[in-house]
Every structure is written in C-alpha cells, then in structure tokens.
Amino acid sequence: MCGEKRGCHVCGVWQELLLEYNFQAAWAIAFLKIMAKPGGKINLKDKLDGNELDLSLCDLNEVPVKDLSGFPKATVLDLSCNNLTSLPTDFCSLTHLVKLDLSKNQLQQLPSDFGRLVNLQHLDLLNNRLVTLPVSFAQLKNLKWLDLKDNPLDSILAKVAGDCLDEKQCKQAAARVLQYMKTIQADLDREKERKLQAEREREKKREAAQRAKEAQEKEQRKREKAEEKERRRREYDALKAAKQELEKQPRKEMGENPKLSSVSHPSHPPRHKRSWSRVLLKMLFFLLLSALSALAVCKVTELQHQPVCISVNMLYEDALTALQSHKLLQNVLQPSSQQ
C-alpha cells in the first residue's frame, strides 16, 4: 500500500511540473505573438544597450521605423532572425545608422533609395532572398564591411561580391560591390544623360519645327493679306477707270459728232413738228378740196346765181387774174435774169 501511495505521489509531482512547464511555454509563445502583432509595441528602451539596439529574434514582420527614429544615438541596429520580407521606404531616413544587421530574414529587395544611409559602414545581409541591389547602393561611400552570402544573387553580382568568411574577405566584398555599383550607376547616368540629350534634341527640333510652322503661317497670312489688298486695289482701280470712261464717253461723242449731237439732241421736237405739219397739210388739202367742190357746185349747178356762189365765182376769177399776172411777171423777169 505504501509503495502504491509513494508512486502516486511521484506521478502527481511530475504532472504538476509538466503542467507548469506547458503553461510557461504557452505564455512565452503568446507574449512573442503579441509583440510581433502590428498593434503590439516593443519597449525599445529595454532593447537598447548604449548605442546598440538589439531587435533580433523578435519575430518581426515589419520594422518599427517611427519608433526607431526616436533613438538617433542608436547607431548599431540588429534586426537579424526575424520575418522581414521588405523594408519600408522611410527606413532610409535612419541616416544615423553605422552598423546594420539584416541577416537571416526573407528580404527580396532593398528600398530604391537605400543609398541615403550614407553613414553606414557595416552591413550584414546574410541568408536572405536578394537577387540584385539598388543602384543607389553606390552612394554608400563609407561602407567598409559587407556580407551577401546565401542569397540567390545575380551571377555577375555574386562573382563580384565573392565570399565573406573572414574580416578581410568581407571588406574586400564591400569595396568590390561598391565599385561595381558605381560602374552600373555611371552607365545608367550616361544612358540617362543620353536620353535627356536626345529628348532635348527632339525638343529643339519640335521647337524649331513649331517656329518654322508659325513663321510659315505668318508668311501665309501676310501673303493672303497682300493678295487681298491687291485684289481690292485692282477692283478700286477698275471701278475708278469705268467711272472715268463713263464720264468721258458723252464728251467724246459730243466732240467727234457735233452735228449728230446737235441733231440728236432735238430729235423729239422735229418729230413733233412733222406731226403738226402733216395735220396742217391735211387741213389745207381738206379746205382746198372743199373750195374746189364749192366752186364746182357754183359753176355747174343752178346755184351759180345765188349770192354765195356769186362771191365764190368772184374770188375764183380774182385768183385766176392774180395767177395770170404772176405768170406775166415771171415771163418778164426770166429774160432779164438770163441777160
């Protein structure tokens, strides 16, 4: 019985110890998860030791840049052994950093303006997923130590970087990579300058073409304006010449044909006179015919003894006498005129 009781007591102690261990492990895991959540904050003061800030093994998914900027004296930053896949763009504002450890993360690329970290001297990028480096990397003129091992680097970059198994090799890697990135930057700068120059040339050509087009349009407008002015001048001259011709034509007709002008001017009155003369002739003919009829009546009919007919016969005889005397006068005058 005692043996059984002693065995049960030992089993209970082990169970209590196991439960306590599991509780502590669960509490530690929960604490790490809380610290790794975006809402959870790490007390950076507890991680600060002089000028070194150790945030390794904190299961970080992102870098608390805003909090880190509050510690400008922390020139050494250790972010190794976390779950970082990228760095925020404002990470490059931490220009006070001198030593940076980003090893054993999952970084696929560095920010394009990583070269702003001009005071950086020591950079550890061991065991990440980097393939290339940003061109601005060439601006890290103070970089003296670099480790790029265990990254799927571009073949040329991997050959340039070489190994980093000791201090000497890491320094050589930093120098070679900087020189390589400077060459790339120079090539890109030349290409950029070439493109800018080509763009400036194209812009000059566009401006020249635009100026030529504007000058051509201006010349065209000027030519059209001159043609329009010449057309209006010709129309004015033509109208003026026609007006002068119309004014000269009556004078010319009057100067060349004065008889026609004098006759043509009173053309209507002679027609008027001829019409009146015809009327008068008709009246005289009618009166003469009436007088002859009356004379015939008075000579032939029984009315010759009437007073009216006697007067008519007397007038007839006087007229005959006058005519005879007129004929005698003509006969007398003709020989004298012939002499």
Side-chain angles (χ1 to χ4, degrees):
M1 293 291 295
C2 292
E4 292 178 358
K5 289 181 180 180
R6 190 178 296 110
C8 291
H9 178 71
V10 172
C11 289
V13 171
W14 278 108
Q15 289 177 353
E16 290 177 1
L17 290 174
L18 184 60
L19 288 174
E20 184 177 359
Y21 173 77
N22 290 336
F23 175 76
Q24 290 178 355
W27 183 87
I29 293 172
F31 175 76
L32 290 175
K33 288 184 178 180
I34 292 173
M35 295 302 291
K37 286 182 180 179
K41 290 186 177 181
I42 300 175
N43 190 352
L44 297 183
K45 290 183 179 181
D46 294 341
K47 300 291 183 177
L48 184 61
D49 184 10
N51 66 336
E52 297 184 9
L53 186 60
D54 187 2
L55 296 180
S56 61
L57 299 170
C58 290
D59 201 24
L60 294 177
N61 293 318
E62 60 182 19
V63 180
V65 178
K66 187 175 180 180
D67 296 333
L68 292 174
S69 61
F71 296 88
K73 293 183 179 180
T75 58
V76 178
L77 177 61
D78 188 355
L79 290 169
S80 62
C81 302
N82 283 291
N83 298 318
L84 302 176
T85 58
S86 63
L87 299 177
T89 54
D90 55 349
F91 181 84
C92 301
S93 64
L94 304 176
T95 56
H96 59 278
L97 294 178
V98 175
K99 183 177 180 180
L100 177 62
D101 190 351
L102 292 169
S103 62
K104 298 181 181 179
N105 279 280
Q106 301 176 27
L107 295 174
Q108 299 178 6
Q109 62 181 4
L110 298 178
S112 59
D113 56 347
F114 193 79
R116 290 174 58 192
L117 302 175
V118 292
N119 293 314
L120 200 60
Q121 298 179 14
H122 185 107
L123 178 60
D124 193 346
L125 294 171
L126 171 72
N127 195 8
N128 278 278
R129 298 180 181 178
L130 297 174
V131 177
T132 60
L133 296 175
V135 178
S136 64
F137 199 91
Q139 300 173 14
L140 301 177
K141 57 184 180 180
N142 292 315
L143 189 65
K144 300 295 188 295
W145 194 96
L146 177 63
D147 189 358
L148 286 172
K149 291 194 310 295
D150 299 333
N151 280 280
L153 295 175
D154 174 76
S155 59
I156 298 177
L157 180 59
K159 184 177 179 180
V160 170
D163 290 329
C164 182
L165 302 176
D166 54 30
E167 189 74 12
K168 183 179 179 181
Q169 287 183 347
C170 294
K171 288 182 178 181
Q172 290 176 350
R176 287 194 301 266
V177 170
L178 280 179
Q179 185 62 36
Y180 173 72
M181 297 308 297
K182 286 178 181 179
T183 303
I184 292 178
Q185 186 178 36
D187 293 341
L188 291 176
D189 289 342
R190 282 193 295 270
E191 181 65 18
K192 184 178 180 181
E193 182 63 24
R194 188 189 65 79
K195 290 182 179 179
L196 288 175
Q197 185 66 24
E199 182 62 28
R200 283 194 291 266
E201 292 295 329
R202 286 192 294 269
E203 185 64 24
K204 287 181 180 179
K205 290 181 180 179
R206 284 194 294 267
E207 291 177 356
Q210 183 65 24
R211 286 194 298 269
K213 183 179 179 182
E214 291 175 357
Q216 186 177 2
E217 291 176 353
K218 185 178 179 180
E219 186 65 24
Q220 180 68 18
R221 289 193 299 269
K222 186 177 179 181
R223 185 165 54 252
E224 290 176 355
K225 187 176 180 181
E227 291 175 355
E228 179 65 18
K229 185 177 180 180
E230 181 65 19
R231 185 184 64 80
R232 286 190 280 108
R233 188 186 65 77
R234 287 196 299 268
E235 290 179 355
Y236 173 78
D237 292 342
L239 289 173
K240 187 176 180 181
K243 185 177 180 181
Q244 291 177 353
E245 187 67 23
L246 289 175
E247 290 177 354
K248 289 179 179 179
Q249 188 173 0
R251 297 177 184 177
K252 186 176 180 181
E253 291 178 355
M254 290 178 66
E256 293 178 354
N257 302 315
K259 293 181 179 180
L260 291 175
S261 61
S262 61
V263 172
S264 62
H265 183 67
S267 59
H268 295 288
R271 292 180 183 177
H272 188 62
K273 287 182 179 180
R274 282 197 294 269
S275 63
W276 278 105
S277 61
R278 289 176 182 176
V279 173
L280 289 174
L281 288 173
K282 287 180 180 181
M283 290 178 67
L284 289 173
F285 179 75
F286 179 73
L287 289 173
L288 180 61
L289 185 62
S290 299
L292 291 174
S293 300
L295 181 62
V297 170
C298 289
K299 286 287 187 181
V300 177
T301 63
E302 296 178 353
L303 297 176
Q304 59 182 348
H305 299 292
Q306 294 293 327
V308 175
C309 289
I310 292 172
S311 299
V312 170
N313 290 328
M314 289 177 67
L315 289 173
Y316 175 70
E317 290 176 358
D318 292 338
L320 288 175
T321 304
L323 288 172
Q324 289 176 357
S325 62
H326 182 65
K327 288 182 178 181
L328 290 173
L329 181 61
Q330 285 183 350
N331 293 328
V332 172
L333 292 174
Q334 280 181 356
S336 60
S337 62
Q338 290 176 357
Q339 292 176 359

